[in-house]
Amino acid sequence: MDITIIFKIAGIGLLTAVACMLLKKANKEEIATLVSLAGLILALVLVLDMIVQLFDVVKGLFEL
């Protein structure tokens, strides 16, 4: 596992949190919710890619 994936996920979380706070201050709660959901989906895509790589390694290890 590479340390850059952790920094990417942390960066996504930080940017999402700042954007949500700014949007909530501007009384745009609905858009803030959508931004939060988009950040979550983006982070899950990164984690899903890592899980696919893990399954490929396990599959190659057992030669299935």
Side-chain angles (χ1 to χ4, degrees), residues 2-64:
D2 198 10
I3 194 79
T4 58
I5 193 75
I6 295 172
F7 289 136
K8 286 180 185 178
I9 293 173
I12 291 169
L14 186 63
L15 288 174
T16 303
V18 169
C20 286
M21 286 181 4
L22 290 174
L23 287 168
K24 285 183 181 180
K25 293 273 184 183
N27 291 327
K28 306 282 185 184
E29 285 85 11
E30 296 87 9
I31 298 173
T33 303
L34 291 176
V35 168
S36 176
L37 186 61
L40 176 66
I41 290 171
L42 191 58
L44 286 176
V45 166
L46 289 174
V47 171
L48 184 64
D49 185 47
M50 289 178 50
I51 291 173
V52 168
Q53 289 175 1
L54 174 67
F55 284 148
D56 286 341
V57 168
V58 170
K59 184 179 173 182
L61 182 65
F62 292 114
E63 298 177 2
L64 296 175

